[in-house]
Amino acid sequence: MSAPSSPENAQSAAPPRRTAGRIIGGVVLLLLAVGLLYGGISAVADPAAVVASSANTGRSADTEAEAKIGGLLLCFFGITVLGFGISLLKTKSAKGTQSST
């Protein structure tokens, strides 16, 4: 039996490194979050534009209150997606070691 503190076991306990897929996924999520935040902020700042654009659809037009609530929901969702994107780009350090970033 090998000892639990052997170097081979210590290397297998290391956290996974950033891969190209994680980096690409993180960047895509960051861009998506920026788009969601832009849409949400523009809906909160100018609800009249949202009301005017929804008047051209087959359903009833949005009210300004609905436009503001929708904008806030987009902002909250954008912040959540931003957090997931940042978490994909961050590296985790193993117990007892310090991260370089």
Side-chain angles (χ1 to χ4, degrees), residues 29-42:
L29 284 178
L30 290 176
L31 293 174
L32 180 65
V34 168
L36 288 169
L37 287 171
Y38 175 76
I41 291 171
S42 66

Side-chain angles (χ1 to χ4, degrees), residues 48-62:
V50 175
V51 172
S53 66
S54 70
N56 297 332
T57 62
R59 60 181 186 82
S60 64
D62 291 337

